Coordinates of all heavy atoms in Angstrom, one line a residue:
M216 N 229.6 58.7 -180.1 CA 228.5 58.3 -180.9 C 227.1 58.7 -180.3 O 226.2 58.9 -181.0 CB 228.5 56.8 -181.2 CG 229.6 56.5 -182.2 SD 229.6 57.3 -183.8 CE 228.2 56.6 -184.6
R217 N 227.1 58.6 -179.0 CA 225.8 58.9 -178.2 C 225.3 60.3 -178.5 O 224.1 60.5 -178.6 CB 226.0 58.6 -176.8 CG 224.7 58.8 -176.0 CD 224.9 58.4 -174.5 NE 225.2 57.0 -174.4 CZ 225.6 56.4 -173.3 NH1 225.7 57.1 -172.2 NH2 225.8 55.1 -173.2
Q218 N 226.2 61.3 -178.6 CA 225.8 62.6 -178.9 C 225.7 62.9 -180.3 O 224.9 63.8 -180.7 CB 226.8 63.6 -178.2 CG 226.8 63.7 -176.7 CD 227.6 62.5 -176.1 OE1 228.4 62.0 -176.7 NE2 227.3 62.2 -174.8
I219 N 226.4 62.3 -181.2 CA 226.4 62.5 -182.6 C 225.2 62.0 -183.3 O 224.6 62.7 -184.2 CB 227.7 62.0 -183.3 CG1 228.9 62.7 -182.7 CG2 227.6 62.1 -184.8 CD1 230.2 62.2 -183.2
M220 N 224.7 60.8 -183.0 CA 223.6 60.2 -183.7 C 222.3 60.9 -183.6 O 221.6 61.2 -184.6 CB 223.4 58.7 -183.2 CG 224.5 57.8 -183.8 SD 224.6 57.8 -185.6 CE 223.0 57.1 -186.0
P221 N 221.9 61.4 -182.4 CA 220.6 62.2 -182.4 C 220.7 63.5 -183.2 O 219.8 63.9 -183.9 CB 220.4 62.5 -180.9 CG 221.2 61.4 -180.2 CD 222.3 61.1 -181.1
F222 N 221.9 64.1 -183.1 CA 222.1 65.4 -183.9 C 222.0 65.1 -185.4 O 221.4 65.8 -186.2 CB 223.4 66.0 -183.5 CG 223.7 67.2 -184.3 CD1 223.0 68.4 -184.1 CD2 224.7 67.2 -185.3 CE1 223.3 69.5 -184.9 CE2 224.9 68.3 -186.1 CZ 224.2 69.5 -185.9
A223 N 222.7 64.0 -185.8 CA 222.7 63.6 -187.3 C 221.3 63.3 -187.8 O 220.9 63.7 -188.9 CB 223.7 62.5 -187.5
L224 N 220.6 62.5 -187.0 CA 219.2 62.1 -187.4 C 218.3 63.3 -187.5 O 217.5 63.4 -188.4 CB 218.7 61.1 -186.4 CG 219.2 59.7 -186.5 CD1 218.7 58.8 -185.4 CD2 218.9 59.1 -187.9
Q225 N 218.4 64.2 -186.5 CA 217.6 65.4 -186.6 C 218.0 66.3 -187.8 O 217.1 66.9 -188.4 CB 217.8 66.2 -185.3 CG 216.8 67.3 -185.1 CD 216.9 68.0 -183.7 OE1 217.9 67.9 -183.1 NE2 215.8 68.7 -183.3
L226 N 219.2 66.4 -188.1 CA 219.7 67.2 -189.2 C 219.2 66.6 -190.5 O 218.7 67.2 -191.4 CB 221.2 67.3 -189.2 CG 221.8 68.1 -190.4 CD1 221.4 69.6 -190.3 CD2 223.3 67.9 -190.4
W227 N 219.2 65.2 -190.6 CA 218.8 64.5 -191.8 C 217.3 64.7 -192.0 O 216.8 64.8 -193.1 CB 219.1 63.0 -191.6 CG 218.9 62.2 -192.9 CD1 218.8 62.6 -194.1 CD2 218.7 60.8 -192.9 NE1 218.6 61.6 -195.0 CE2 218.5 60.4 -194.3 CE3 218.7 59.8 -192.0 CZ2 218.4 59.1 -194.7 CZ3 218.6 58.5 -192.4 CH2 218.4 58.2 -193.7
M228 N 216.5 64.8 -190.9 CA 215.1 65.0 -191.0 C 214.8 66.4 -191.5 O 213.9 66.5 -192.3 CB 214.4 64.8 -189.6 CG 212.9 64.8 -189.7 SD 212.3 64.3 -188.1 CE 210.7 65.0 -188.2
Y229 N 215.5 67.4 -191.1 CA 215.3 68.7 -191.6 C 215.7 68.8 -193.1 O 215.2 69.6 -193.8 CB 216.0 69.8 -190.8 CG 215.3 70.1 -189.5 CD1 215.9 69.8 -188.3 CD2 214.1 70.6 -189.5 CE1 215.3 70.0 -187.1 CE2 213.4 70.9 -188.3 CZ 214.0 70.6 -187.1 OH 213.4 70.8 -185.9
I230 N 216.7 68.1 -193.5 CA 217.2 68.1 -194.9 C 216.2 67.4 -195.8 O 216.1 67.7 -197.0 CB 218.6 67.5 -195.0 CG1 219.6 68.5 -194.3 CG2 219.1 67.3 -196.4 CD1 221.0 67.9 -194.1
S231 N 215.6 66.4 -195.3 CA 214.6 65.6 -196.1 C 213.3 66.4 -196.4 O 212.9 67.1 -195.5 CB 214.2 64.3 -195.4 OG 215.4 63.5 -195.2
P232 N 212.8 66.3 -197.6 CA 211.6 67.1 -198.0 C 210.3 66.6 -197.5 O 209.4 66.2 -198.2 CB 211.7 67.1 -199.5 CG 212.2 65.7 -199.8 CD 213.2 65.5 -198.7
V233 N 210.1 66.5 -196.2 CA 208.9 66.0 -195.6 C 207.8 67.0 -195.7 O 206.7 66.7 -196.1 CB 209.1 65.6 -194.1 CG1 207.8 65.1 -193.5 CG2 210.2 64.5 -194.1
V234 N 208.1 68.3 -195.3 CA 207.0 69.3 -195.3 C 207.0 70.1 -196.6 O 205.9 70.5 -197.0 CB 207.3 70.2 -194.1 CG1 206.3 71.3 -194.0 CG2 207.4 69.5 -192.8
Y235 N 208.1 70.3 -197.2 CA 208.1 71.1 -198.4 C 208.4 70.2 -199.6 O 209.1 69.2 -199.5 CB 209.2 72.1 -198.3 CG 210.6 71.6 -197.9 CD1 211.5 71.2 -198.9 CD2 211.0 71.4 -196.6 CE1 212.7 70.7 -198.6 CE2 212.2 70.9 -196.3 CZ 213.0 70.5 -197.3 OH 214.3 70.0 -196.9
P236 N 207.9 70.6 -200.8 CA 208.2 69.8 -202.0 C 209.6 70.0 -202.6 O 210.2 71.1 -202.3 CB 207.2 70.3 -203.0 CG 206.8 71.6 -202.6 CD 207.0 71.6 -201.1
T237 N 210.1 69.1 -203.3 CA 211.5 69.2 -203.9 C 211.5 70.4 -204.9 O 212.6 70.9 -205.2 CB 211.9 67.9 -204.5 OG1 211.7 66.9 -203.6 CG2 213.3 67.9 -205.0
S238 N 210.4 70.7 -205.5 CA 210.3 71.8 -206.5 C 210.7 73.1 -205.9 O 211.1 74.0 -206.7 CB 209.0 71.9 -207.1 OG 208.0 72.2 -206.1
L239 N 210.7 73.3 -204.6 CA 211.2 74.5 -204.0 C 212.7 74.7 -204.0 O 213.2 75.8 -203.9 CB 210.7 74.7 -202.6 CG 209.2 74.9 -202.4 CD1 208.8 74.9 -200.9 CD2 208.7 76.1 -203.1
M240 N 213.4 73.6 -204.2 CA 214.8 73.6 -204.3 C 215.3 74.2 -205.6 O 214.7 73.9 -206.6 CB 215.4 72.1 -204.2 CG 216.9 72.0 -204.1 SD 217.6 72.7 -202.7 CE 216.9 71.8 -201.3
P241 N 216.3 75.1 -205.6 CA 216.8 75.7 -206.8 C 217.3 74.6 -207.8 O 217.8 73.5 -207.3 CB 218.0 76.6 -206.4 CG 217.7 76.8 -205.0 CD 217.0 75.6 -204.4
D242 N 217.2 74.8 -209.1 CA 217.5 73.8 -210.1 C 219.0 73.4 -210.0 O 219.3 72.2 -210.2 CB 217.2 74.3 -211.5 CG 215.7 74.3 -211.8 OD1 215.0 73.6 -211.1 OD2 215.3 75.1 -212.6
K243 N 219.9 74.3 -209.7 CA 221.3 73.9 -209.8 C 221.7 73.0 -208.6 O 222.7 72.3 -208.6 CB 222.2 75.2 -209.8 CG 222.1 76.0 -208.5 CD 223.0 77.2 -208.7 CE 223.0 78.0 -207.4 NZ 224.0 79.1 -207.5
W244 N 220.9 73.0 -207.5 CA 221.2 72.2 -206.3 C 220.3 70.9 -206.3 O 220.5 70.1 -205.4 CB 221.0 73.0 -205.1 CG 221.9 74.1 -204.9 CD1 221.6 75.4 -205.1 CD2 223.3 74.1 -204.6 NE1 222.7 76.2 -204.9 CE2 223.8 75.4 -204.6 CE3 224.1 73.0 -204.3 CZ2 225.1 75.7 -204.3 CZ3 225.5 73.3 -204.0 CH2 225.9 74.6 -204.0
R245 N 219.4 70.8 -207.2 CA 218.4 69.7 -207.1 C 219.0 68.3 -207.2 O 218.7 67.4 -206.5 CB 217.3 69.9 -208.1 CG 216.0 69.2 -207.7 CD 214.9 69.6 -208.5 NE 214.5 71.0 -208.2 CZ 213.6 71.6 -208.9 NH1 213.1 71.1 -210.0 NH2 213.3 72.9 -208.6
N246 N 220.0 68.1 -208.1 CA 220.6 66.8 -208.3 C 221.5 66.4 -207.1 O 221.5 65.3 -206.7 CB 221.5 66.8 -209.6 CG 220.6 66.7 -210.8 OD1 219.5 66.2 -210.8 ND2 221.1 67.1 -211.9
L247 N 222.2 67.4 -206.6 CA 223.0 67.2 -205.3 C 222.1 66.9 -204.2 O 222.3 66.0 -203.4 CB 223.9 68.4 -205.0 CG 224.7 68.3 -203.8 CD1 225.8 67.2 -204.0 CD2 225.4 69.6 -203.5
Y248 N 221.0 67.6 -204.1 CA 220.0 67.4 -203.0 C 219.4 66.0 -203.1 O 219.0 65.4 -202.1 CB 218.9 68.4 -203.1 CG 217.8 68.4 -202.1 CD1 218.1 68.6 -200.8 CD2 216.5 68.1 -202.4 CE1 217.1 68.5 -199.8 CE2 215.5 68.0 -201.5 CZ 215.9 68.2 -200.2 OH 214.9 68.2 -199.2
S249 N 219.2 65.4 -204.3 CA 218.6 64.1 -204.5 C 219.5 63.0 -204.1 O 219.1 61.8 -204.1 CB 218.1 64.0 -205.9 OG 219.2 63.9 -206.8
L250 N 220.8 63.3 -203.7 CA 221.6 62.2 -203.2 C 221.2 61.8 -201.8 O 221.5 60.7 -201.4 CB 223.1 62.7 -203.1 CG 223.8 62.9 -204.5 CD1 225.2 63.4 -204.2 CD2 223.8 61.6 -205.3
N251 N 220.4 62.6 -201.2 CA 219.7 62.2 -199.9 C 218.8 61.0 -200.2 O 217.8 61.2 -201.0 CB 219.0 63.4 -199.3 CG 218.3 63.0 -198.0 OD1 218.2 61.9 -197.6 ND2 217.7 64.0 -197.4
P252 N 219.0 59.8 -199.7 CA 218.1 58.7 -200.1 C 216.7 58.9 -199.8 O 215.8 58.3 -200.4 CB 218.7 57.5 -199.3 CG 220.0 58.0 -198.8 CD 220.0 59.5 -198.8
M253 N 216.3 59.7 -198.9 CA 214.9 59.9 -198.5 C 214.2 60.8 -199.5 O 213.0 60.8 -199.5 CB 214.8 60.5 -197.1 CG 215.2 59.6 -196.0 SD 214.4 58.0 -196.0 CE 212.7 58.5 -195.7
V254 N 214.9 61.6 -200.3 CA 214.2 62.5 -201.2 C 213.4 61.7 -202.3 O 212.3 62.0 -202.5 CB 215.3 63.4 -202.0 CG1 214.7 64.1 -203.1 CG2 215.9 64.3 -201.0
G255 N 214.0 60.6 -202.8 CA 213.3 59.8 -203.8 C 212.1 59.1 -203.2 O 211.0 59.0 -203.8
I256 N 212.3 58.6 -202.0 CA 211.2 57.9 -201.3 C 210.0 58.8 -200.9 O 208.9 58.5 -201.2 CB 211.7 57.2 -200.0 CG1 212.7 56.1 -200.5 CG2 210.6 56.6 -199.2 CD1 213.6 55.5 -199.4
I257 N 210.3 59.9 -200.4 CA 209.3 60.9 -200.0 C 208.6 61.5 -201.2 O 207.4 61.6 -201.2 CB 209.9 62.0 -199.0 CG1 210.3 61.4 -197.7 CG2 208.9 63.1 -198.8 CD1 211.1 62.3 -196.8
D258 N 209.4 61.8 -202.2 CA 208.7 62.3 -203.4 C 207.9 61.3 -204.1 O 206.8 61.6 -204.7 CB 209.8 62.9 -204.4 CG 210.2 64.3 -204.1 OD1 209.5 64.9 -203.2 OD2 211.1 64.8 -204.7
G259 N 208.3 60.0 -204.1 CA 207.5 59.0 -204.7 C 206.2 58.8 -203.9 O 205.1 58.6 -204.5
F260 N 206.3 58.9 -202.6 CA 205.0 58.8 -201.8 C 204.1 60.0 -202.1 O 202.9 59.8 -202.2 CB 205.4 58.7 -200.3 CG 204.2 58.5 -199.4 CD1 203.6 57.2 -199.4 CD2 203.8 59.5 -198.6 CE1 202.5 57.0 -198.6 CE2 202.7 59.3 -197.8 CZ 202.0 58.0 -197.8
R261 N 204.7 61.2 -202.2 CA 203.9 62.4 -202.4 C 203.3 62.3 -203.8 O 202.1 62.6 -204.0 CB 204.8 63.6 -202.4 CG 204.1 64.9 -202.5 CD 205.0 66.1 -202.4 NE 205.3 66.3 -200.9 CZ 206.5 66.4 -200.5 NH1 207.5 66.4 -201.3 NH2 206.7 66.5 -199.2
W262 N 204.0 61.7 -204.8 CA 203.5 61.6 -206.1 C 202.3 60.6 -206.2 O 201.4 60.8 -206.9 CB 204.6 61.1 -207.1 CG 204.1 60.7 -208.4 CD1 203.8 61.5 -209.5 CD2 203.9 59.4 -208.9 NE1 203.4 60.8 -210.5 CE2 203.4 59.5 -210.2 CE3 204.0 58.1 -208.3 CZ2 203.1 58.4 -211.0 CZ3 203.7 57.0 -209.1 CH2 203.2 57.1 -210.4
S263 N 202.4 59.5 -205.3 CA 201.4 58.5 -205.3 C 200.1 59.1 -204.7 O 199.0 58.6 -205.1 CB 201.8 57.3 -204.5 OG 201.9 57.6 -203.1
L264 N 200.2 60.1 -203.9 CA 199.0 60.7 -203.3 C 198.5 61.8 -204.1 O 197.2 62.0 -204.2 CB 199.3 61.1 -201.9 CG 199.6 60.1 -200.8 CD1 200.0 60.7 -199.5 CD2 198.4 59.1 -200.6
T265 N 199.3 62.6 -204.7 CA 198.9 63.9 -205.3 C 199.0 63.8 -206.8 O 198.3 64.6 -207.5 CB 199.6 65.1 -204.8 OG1 201.0 64.9 -205.2 CG2 199.5 65.3 -203.3
G266 N 199.9 62.9 -207.4 CA 200.1 62.9 -208.8 C 201.0 64.0 -209.3 O 201.2 64.1 -210.5
K267 N 201.6 64.7 -208.5 CA 202.5 65.8 -208.9 C 203.9 65.5 -208.6 O 204.2 64.9 -207.5 CB 202.1 67.1 -208.2 CG 200.8 67.6 -208.5 CD 200.4 68.9 -207.7 CE 199.0 69.3 -208.0 NZ 198.7 70.5 -207.1
G268 N 204.8 65.8 -209.4 CA 206.2 65.6 -209.2 C 206.9 64.7 -210.2 O 206.2 64.2 -211.1
E269 N 208.2 64.4 -210.0 CA 209.0 63.5 -210.9 C 209.6 62.5 -210.0 O 210.8 62.5 -209.7 CB 210.1 64.3 -211.5 CG 209.6 65.6 -212.3 CD 210.7 66.4 -212.7 OE1 211.9 66.1 -212.4 OE2 210.5 67.5 -213.3
P270 N 208.8 61.4 -209.6 CA 209.4 60.5 -208.7 C 210.5 59.6 -209.2 O 211.4 59.2 -208.5 CB 208.2 59.6 -208.3 CG 207.3 59.7 -209.4 CD 207.5 61.1 -210.0
L271 N 210.4 59.2 -210.5 CA 211.4 58.3 -211.0 C 212.8 58.9 -211.1 O 213.8 58.2 -210.9 CB 210.9 57.8 -212.4 CG 209.7 56.9 -212.4 CD1 209.3 56.5 -213.8 CD2 209.9 55.7 -211.5
T272 N 212.9 60.2 -211.4 CA 214.2 60.9 -211.5 C 214.9 60.8 -210.2 O 216.0 60.4 -210.1 CB 214.0 62.3 -212.0 OG1 213.3 62.3 -213.2 CG2 215.3 63.0 -212.1
Y273 N 214.2 61.3 -209.1 CA 214.9 61.4 -207.8 C 215.0 60.0 -207.2 O 216.0 59.7 -206.5 CB 214.1 62.3 -206.9 CG 214.0 63.7 -207.5 CD1 212.7 64.2 -207.7 CD2 215.1 64.4 -207.8 CE1 212.6 65.5 -208.2 CE2 215.0 65.7 -208.3 CZ 213.8 66.2 -208.5 OH 213.7 67.5 -209.1
L274 N 214.1 59.1 -207.5 CA 214.2 57.7 -206.9 C 215.3 57.0 -207.6 O 216.1 56.3 -206.9 CB 212.9 57.0 -207.2 CG 212.7 55.7 -206.4 CD1 212.8 55.9 -204.9 CD2 211.4 55.0 -206.8
S275 N 215.6 57.2 -208.8 CA 216.7 56.5 -209.5 C 218.0 57.0 -209.0 O 219.0 56.2 -208.7 CB 216.6 56.6 -211.0 OG 216.7 58.0 -211.4
I276 N 218.1 58.3 -208.8 CA 219.4 58.9 -208.2 C 219.6 58.4 -206.8 O 220.7 58.0 -206.4 CB 219.3 60.4 -208.3 CG1 219.3 60.9 -209.7 CG2 220.5 61.0 -207.5 CD1 219.1 62.4 -209.9
S277 N 218.5 58.3 -206.0 CA 218.6 57.8 -204.6 C 219.0 56.4 -204.6 O 219.9 56.0 -203.8 CB 217.3 58.0 -203.9 OG 217.0 59.3 -203.8
V278 N 218.5 55.5 -205.5 CA 218.8 54.1 -205.5 C 220.3 53.9 -205.9 O 221.0 53.1 -205.3 CB 217.9 53.4 -206.5 CG1 218.4 52.0 -206.8 CG2 216.5 53.3 -205.9
V279 N 220.7 54.6 -206.9 CA 222.1 54.5 -207.3 C 223.1 54.9 -206.2 O 224.0 54.3 -205.9 CB 222.4 55.4 -208.6 CG1 223.9 55.5 -208.9 CG2 221.7 54.8 -209.8
F280 N 222.7 56.0 -205.5 CA 223.6 56.5 -204.4 C 223.5 55.4 -203.2 O 224.6 55.2 -202.6 CB 223.1 57.8 -203.9 CG 224.0 58.4 -202.8 CD1 225.3 58.8 -203.2 CD2 223.6 58.6 -201.5 CE1 226.1 59.4 -202.2 CE2 224.4 59.2 -200.6 CZ 225.7 59.6 -200.9
I281 N 222.4 54.8 -203.0 CA 222.3 53.8 -201.9 C 223.1 52.6 -202.3 O 223.8 52.0 -201.4 CB 220.8 53.4 -201.7 CG1 220.1 54.6 -201.0 CG2 220.7 52.2 -200.9 CD1 218.6 54.4 -201.0
V282 N 223.1 52.2 -203.5 CA 223.9 51.0 -204.0 C 225.4 51.3 -203.8 O 226.2 50.5 -203.4 CB 223.5 50.6 -205.4 CG1 224.5 49.6 -206.0 CG2 222.1 50.0 -205.4
V283 N 225.8 52.5 -204.2 CA 227.2 52.9 -204.1 C 227.6 52.9 -202.6 O 228.7 52.3 -202.3 CB 227.5 54.3 -204.7 CG1 228.8 54.8 -204.3 CG2 227.3 54.2 -206.2
I284 N 226.8 53.4 -201.7 CA 227.2 53.5 -200.3 C 227.2 52.0 -199.8 O 228.1 51.7 -199.0 CB 226.1 54.3 -199.5 CG1 226.3 55.8 -199.9 CG2 226.3 54.2 -198.0 CD1 227.6 56.4 -199.6
L285 N 226.3 51.2 -200.2 CA 226.3 49.8 -199.8 C 227.5 49.0 -200.2 O 228.1 48.3 -199.4 CB 225.0 49.1 -200.4 CG 224.9 47.6 -200.1 CD1 224.7 47.3 -198.6 CD2 223.9 46.9 -200.9
V286 N 227.9 49.2 -201.4 CA 229.2 48.5 -201.9 C 230.4 49.0 -201.2 O 231.2 48.3 -200.7 CB 229.3 48.7 -203.5 CG1 230.7 48.3 -203.9 CG2 228.2 48.0 -204.2
V287 N 230.5 50.3 -201.0 CA 231.6 50.9 -200.2 C 231.6 50.4 -198.8 O 232.7 50.0 -198.3 CB 231.6 52.4 -200.3 CG1 232.6 53.1 -199.3 CG2 231.9 52.9 -201.7
G288 N 230.5 50.3 -198.2 CA 230.4 49.8 -196.8 C 230.7 48.4 -196.7 O 231.4 48.0 -195.8
L289 N 230.3 47.6 -197.7 CA 230.7 46.1 -197.7 C 232.2 45.9 -197.8 O 232.8 45.1 -197.2 CB 229.9 45.4 -198.7 CG 228.5 45.1 -198.5 CD1 227.8 44.5 -199.7 CD2 228.3 44.2 -197.3
I290 N 232.8 46.7 -198.7 CA 234.2 46.6 -198.9 C 235.0 47.0 -197.7 O 235.9 46.4 -197.2 CB 234.7 47.5 -200.1 CG1 234.1 46.8 -201.4 CG2 236.2 47.6 -200.2 CD1 234.3 47.7 -202.7
F291 N 234.5 48.1 -197.1 CA 235.2 48.6 -195.8 C 235.0 47.6 -194.7 O 235.9 47.3 -194.0 CB 234.5 49.9 -195.4 CG 235.1 50.5 -194.2 CD1 236.3 51.3 -194.3 CD2 234.5 50.4 -193.0 CE1 236.8 51.8 -193.1 CE2 235.0 51.0 -191.9 CZ 236.2 51.7 -191.9
F292 N 233.8 47.0 -194.6 CA 233.5 46.0 -193.5 C 234.4 44.8 -193.7 O 235.0 44.3 -192.7 CB 232.1 45.6 -193.6 CG 231.7 44.5 -192.6 CD1 231.6 44.8 -191.2 CD2 231.5 43.2 -193.0 CE1 231.3 43.8 -190.3 CE2 231.2 42.2 -192.1 CZ 231.1 42.5 -190.7
H293 N 234.5 44.3 -194.9 CA 235.3 43.1 -195.2 C 236.8 43.3 -195.0 O 237.5 42.4 -194.5 CB 235.1 42.5 -196.5 CG 233.7 41.8 -196.6 ND1 233.4 40.7 -195.9 CD2 232.6 42.0 -197.4 CE1 232.2 40.3 -196.2 NE2 231.7 41.1 -197.1
R294 N 237.2 44.5 -195.2 CA 238.6 44.9 -195.1 C 239.0 45.0 -193.6 O 240.1 44.5 -193.2 CB 238.9 46.2 -195.8 CG 240.4 46.5 -195.7 CD 240.7 47.7 -196.6 NE 240.5 47.4 -198.0 CZ 240.5 48.3 -198.9 NH1 240.7 49.5 -198.7 NH2 240.4 47.9 -200.2
Y295 N 238.1 45.5 -192.8 CA 238.5 45.8 -191.4 C 237.8 44.9 -190.4 O 237.9 45.1 -189.2 CB 238.2 47.3 -191.0 CG 239.1 48.2 -191.8 CD1 238.6 48.9 -192.8 CD2 240.4 48.4 -191.4 CE1 239.5 49.8 -193.5 CE2 241.2 49.2 -192.1 CZ 240.8 49.9 -193.1 OH 241.6 50.8 -193.8
E296 N 237.1 43.9 -190.9 CA 236.3 43.0 -190.0 C 237.3 42.2 -189.0 O 237.0 42.2 -187.8 CB 235.6 41.9 -190.8 CG 234.8 41.0 -190.0 CD 234.1 39.9 -190.9 OE1 234.5 39.8 -192.1 OE2 233.2 39.3 -190.4
S297 N 238.4 41.7 -189.5 CA 239.3 41.0 -188.6 C 239.9 41.9 -187.6 O 240.1 41.5 -186.4 CB 240.3 40.2 -189.4 OG 241.1 41.2 -190.1
K298 N 240.2 43.1 -187.9 CA 240.9 44.0 -187.0 C 239.9 44.4 -185.9 O 240.3 44.5 -184.7 CB 241.4 45.2 -187.7 CG 242.5 44.9 -188.7 CD 242.9 46.1 -189.5 CE 244.0 45.8 -190.5 NZ 244.4 46.9 -191.3
V299 N 238.7 44.6 -186.2 CA 237.7 45.1 -185.2 C 237.4 43.9 -184.3 O 237.3 44.1 -183.1 CB 236.4 45.6 -185.9 CG1 235.3 45.8 -184.9 CG2 236.7 46.8 -186.7
M300 N 237.3 42.7 -184.8 CA 237.0 41.6 -183.9 C 238.2 41.3 -183.0 O 238.0 40.9 -181.8 CB 236.7 40.3 -184.8 CG 235.4 40.4 -185.5 SD 234.0 40.8 -184.5 CE 233.9 39.3 -183.5
D301 N 239.4 41.6 -183.4 CA 240.5 41.4 -182.5 C 240.5 42.4 -181.4 O 241.0 42.2 -180.3 CB 241.8 41.5 -183.3 CG 242.1 40.3 -184.2 OD1 241.5 39.3 -184.0 OD2 242.9 40.5 -185.2
M302 N 240.0 43.6 -181.7 CA 239.9 44.7 -180.7 C 238.9 44.4 -179.6 O 239.0 44.7 -178.5 CB 239.6 46.0 -181.3 CG 240.7 46.5 -182.2 SD 240.1 48.0 -183.1 CE 241.2 49.2 -182.4
L303 N 237.8 43.8 -180.1 CA 236.7 43.5 -179.1 C 237.1 42.3 -178.3 O 236.8 42.2 -177.1 CB 235.4 43.2 -179.9 CG 234.8 44.4 -180.6 CD1 233.6 43.9 -181.4 CD2 234.5 45.5 -179.7

């Protein structure tokens, strides 16, 4: 995990639209790209400053994806909580 986490965070930063707008992404990949939870947040911030973009579309997709990941994580945690505590 020590080597994987810095690499994953750096990759996630390059995938997030910090420097470039989401409108540069081809239309056929834009919905898949908006599964990145940071896309909706960054586009919403960019919209609040410039007034350009579609923040609600990407933000709603990001929120739905975050909720799905949260529910799956909670189910996984509750299922394996006792086994992990026994190992520790």
Side-chain angles (χ1 to χ4, degrees):
M216 288 304 287
R217 184 177 291 172
Q218 289 81 20
I219 293 173
M220 283 305 290
F222 176 73
L224 286 174
Q225 190 173 22
L226 181 66
W227 189 20
M228 187 170 158
Y229 283 117
I230 291 173
S231 299
V233 176
V234 179
Y235 54 90
T237 308
S238 60
L239 291 179
M240 184 64 61
D242 287 336
K243 66 179 183 176
W244 296 105
R245 206 169 285 171
N246 286 335
L247 180 65
Y248 181 67
S249 65
L250 290 179
N251 179 353
M253 291 305 295
V254 169
I256 295 168
I257 293 171
D258 274 353
F260 185 73
R261 184 176 288 129
W262 172 79
S263 70
L264 293 176
T265 63
K267 297 178 183 177
E269 306 167 1
L271 293 179
T272 304
Y273 301 121
L274 191 59
S275 61
I276 293 172
S277 295
V278 167
V279 168
F280 188 67
I281 289 170
V282 168
V283 167
I284 293 297
L285 176 69
V286 169
V287 169
L289 285 173
I290 291 170
F291 182 81
F292 176 76
H293 286 296
R294 183 174 294 170
Y295 292 105
E296 179 182 17
S297 62
K298 294 177 185 176
V299 170
M300 291 308 292
D301 290 339
M302 294 170 114
L303 294 176

